[in-house]
């Protein structure tokens, strides 16, 4: 599995190839390598760090890009994605339990259940949006209460999602061979291409 992320603060391109992270300084081309205990299912880079979800190691790992040091947090249930909501809280999607949990200072807090295949998380305006690949749907979650909002079908077989700078959710419907664009307030399918 391969993943990429870019941290603007340190100008570092992060490439995940198997259990190795390759850190490339885009200003001078310097490369560093960091070995993880398992391949990441997803990585996110921001504010000088990488957050990696390692389902086969039952942990999320935070990597400081300035010092190349890893700080693991054990999370049972095979975490497949993790995103920071604020300095204290991190949302984690768990494959084995079909749940999304909000960690507060690394400790499990609010849990939202009954996802078939939670795969990716996005955060916008106090909500977490869960891409469930098995039901090919996007579902908002209130980060304070854990309550689910009204989910929307995302094509015939959504595989990946990201956000643009306007807060829109852009989703690849691989089976339907389309790019879907959702607004988030409220969650509505606005565009489909082609």
């Amino acid at each position: 599995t391969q993943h990429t992320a870019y941290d603007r603060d340190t100008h570092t391109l992060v490439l995940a190839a198997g259990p190795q992270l390759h850190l490339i300084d885009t200003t001078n081309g310097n490369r560093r390598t960091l070995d993880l205990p398992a391949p990441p299912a997803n990585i996110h880079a921001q504010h000088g760090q990488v957050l990696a979800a390692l389902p086969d190691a039952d942990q999320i790992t935070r990597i400081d890009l300035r010092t190349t040091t890893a700080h693991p947090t054990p999370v049972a249930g095979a975490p497949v994605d993790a995103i920071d909501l604020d300095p204290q809280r991190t949302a984690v999607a768990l494959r084995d339990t079909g749940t999304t949990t909000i960690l507060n200072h690394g400790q499990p807090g609010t849990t939202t259940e009954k996802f078939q295949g939670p795969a990716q998380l996005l955060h916008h305006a106090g909500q977490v949006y869960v891409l469930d690949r098995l039901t090919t749907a996007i579902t908002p979650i209130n980060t304070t209460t854990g309550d689910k909002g009204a989910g929307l079908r995302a094509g015939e077989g959504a595989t990946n999602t990201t956000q643009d700078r306007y807060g829109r959710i852009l989703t690849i419907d691989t089976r339907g061979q389309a790019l879907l664009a959702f607004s988030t307030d409220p969650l509505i399918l606005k565009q489909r291409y082609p």
Side-chain angles (χ1 to χ4, degrees), residues 1-4 14-22 34-36 39-40 43:
T1 307
Q2 294 191 334
H3 302 281
T4 59
V14 183
L15 305 174
Q20 279 194 329
L21 284 187
H22 300 279
L34 179 70
D35 290 318
L36 297 172
I43 60 173

Side-chain angles (χ1 to χ4, degrees), residues 36-177:
L36 297 172
N42 272 306
I43 60 173
H44 300 278
Q46 65 175 358
H47 308 308
Q49 61 182 11
V50 173
L51 186 56
L54 311 177
D56 296 336
D58 269 345
Q59 71 179 35
I60 59 172
T61 298
R62 200 174 298 279
I63 296 106
D64 186 319
L65 290 172
R66 292 175 178 90
T67 62
T68 323
T69 53
H71 307 277
T73 301
V75 183
V80 291
D81 200 8
I83 55 168
D84 287 325
L85 306 180
D86 53 47
Q88 289 80 36
R89 298 181 308 148
T90 303
V92 183
L94 301 168
R95 180 186 65 207
D96 289 356
T97 54
T99 60
T100 298
T101 297
I102 309 290
L103 303 180
N104 201 329
H105 294 286
Q107 298 302 312
T110 310
T111 297
T112 307
E113 301 178 333
K114 296 186 179 168
F115 290 101
Q116 297 295 313
Q120 281 183 287
L121 302 174
L122 299 171
H123 178 233
H124 181 72
Q127 301 262 0
V128 167
Y129 295 86
V130 181
L131 171 65
D132 190 317
R133 285 190 184 133
L134 290 182
T135 60
T136 189
I138 294 173
T139 305
I141 296 173
N142 182 304
T143 60
T144 305
T145 63
D147 293 339
K148 278 185 184 179
L152 278 185
R153 177 108 179 156
E156 299 169 34
T159 53
N160 286 293
T161 189
T162 189
Q163 243 171 333
D164 68 11
R165 60 192 171 126
Y166 304 108
R168 292 177 300 199
I169 295 173
L170 308 175
T171 302
I172 299 293
D173 176 14
T174 303
R175 189 174 299 141
Q177 298 184 341

